[in-house]
Amino acid sequence: MQNLFRRRSLVLATLAASLFCGSAAFAQDNNKNTVKVGISVGSAEQVFEVVKKVAAKDGLNIQLVVFNDYQLPNAALASGDLDANAFQHQPFLDNQNKARGFDIVPVGLTITAPLGFYSRKIKTIDQLPDGAAVGIQNDPSNGNRALLLLQSAGLVTLKPEAVKNNTATPLDVVSNPKKLKLVPLDAAQLPRSLDDLAIAAINNDYAEKAGLSLNKDAVIKEAAKSPYANLIAVRRADKDKPWARRLVAAYQSPEVRSFIETQFKGSLVPAF
């Protein structure tokens, strides 16, 4: 009987210690003051330097991890190497969740970065020759976005269903009066391929890194307001954590808004 009592006491003590450790870990995770955030090269680095200063006033330390490839930040977040990332729009995230089985959710909007088509061979889109090679992104969401921009410029016509569903690919082109040759490439490769292409769709961060300006150099560009607002994303289990709310609040602060509007003059637009 005495041995049984001792065993029960040991089990209860172990359970209590486990519950205490679990509660402590839960509290630590909810109240943690350092978060690791994945971003893409270029303008995001400048913006997040301001975000870091604002967050520091609230006691939140932001550690940045800079990526050169759009395919990596969500994988790093899903695996736990990051706490959050801030580089993508909702259509891109939806596609990645579906294609790669991630469970990543948005917690706040950041900026809209209008997409542009750039060229080293022509100055205006009217100069685009028949049969020209046109570079677009090979990932589904940005490739669709580039094709929609070509359609808005009257260069191609897409199947209405593909436009409605935001799923357009080169196979959905039903009219191509100039007989343009669509060349899908990795988004990071497009700036380096400009010498071989007549025009290429280049995302803002890669364009900036290549020394290209949306306002000065783009021969076609999206309107400032579009459905492609970028966002801060986290694992679903973290979406209601206090640190996630503090991160979003730091980004959506008046200081960051002012910096974006002053520094980028319309090439980036606050989406919050």
Side-chain angles (χ1 to χ4, degrees):
M1 181 66 72
Q2 188 175 12
N3 288 338
L4 178 60
F5 177 76
R6 286 176 179 173
R7 285 198 297 271
R8 286 179 176 174
S9 298
L10 180 60
V11 169
L12 291 172
T14 302
L15 179 59
S18 175
L19 290 172
F20 174 79
C21 291
S23 298
F26 178 81
Q28 184 179 23
D29 185 57
N30 273 276
N31 298 315
K32 68 178 180 177
N33 291 318
T34 296
V35 294
K36 190 178 292 186
V37 181
I39 62 173
S40 55
V41 295
S43 56
E45 296 174 84
Q46 300 175 58
V47 174
F48 261 90
E49 287 304 316
V50 183
V51 178
K52 285 172 64 176
K53 292 176 182 178
V54 175
K57 297 177 184 178
D58 184 40
L60 183 66
N61 175 44
I62 297 175
Q63 297 179 351
L64 298 178
V65 180
V66 181
F67 292 89
N68 289 297
D69 186 331
Y70 288 157
Q71 301 303 316
L72 300 179
N74 281 329
L77 177 56
S79 69
D81 292 330
L82 300 173
D83 297 302
N85 65 40
F87 79 102
Q88 64 194 321
H89 48 67
Q90 189 68 53
F92 186 88
L93 175 58
D94 290 343
N95 180 267
Q96 289 252 302
N97 278 338
K98 181 178 180 180
R100 304 182 67 179
F102 300 144
D103 192 15
I104 297 172
V105 298
V107 289
L109 296 177
T110 57
I111 51 94
T112 299
L115 181 66
F117 273 88
Y118 298 84
S119 178
R120 298 199 191 284
K121 299 179 179 179
I122 63 174
K123 296 296 183 183
T124 67
I125 199 61
D126 295 337
Q127 299 172 340
L128 186 67
D130 290 353
V134 176
I136 64 171
Q137 297 88 336
N138 63 5
D139 67 87
S141 60
N142 281 308
N144 167 76
R145 186 180 181 186
L147 288 168
L148 291 177
L149 189 51
L150 287 176
Q151 178 169 266
S152 73
L155 294 171
V156 301
T157 303
L158 302 167
K159 293 178 182 177
E161 192 69 15
V163 173
K164 179 182 177 182
N165 295 328
N166 281 312
T167 57
T169 73
L171 296 176
D172 294 305
V173 175
V174 294
S175 174
N176 183 358
K178 283 184 169 288
K179 296 181 172 54
L180 302 177
K181 299 172 184 175
L182 299 175
V183 183
L185 294 170
D186 183 79
Q189 183 67 28
L190 286 164
R192 298 191 289 271
S193 302
L194 272 180
D195 290 338
D196 301 318
L197 302 166
I199 60 173
I202 303 177
N203 294 84
N204 186 277
D205 43 6
Y206 293 133
E208 185 180 71
K209 187 180 179 184
L212 299 168
S213 164
L214 180 77
N215 293 329
K216 295 179 181 178
D217 301 317
V219 294
I220 317 174
K221 59 184 178 182
E222 280 179 338
K225 292 185 177 180
S226 80
Y228 295 98
N230 284 7
L231 49 86
I232 295 171
V234 300
R235 293 180 294 277
R236 185 177 299 277
D238 293 333
K239 69 184 181 68
D240 296 319
K241 298 286 177 64
W243 60 261
R245 291 195 293 270
R246 294 163 70 195
L247 174 61
V248 172
Y251 196 107
Q252 296 182 350
S253 65
E255 295 95 325
V256 173
R257 173 184 289 276
S258 177
F259 176 80
I260 293 169
E261 292 175 342
T262 302
Q263 180 72 18
F264 299 104
K265 298 180 174 60
S267 61
L268 295 182
V269 182
F272 50 90

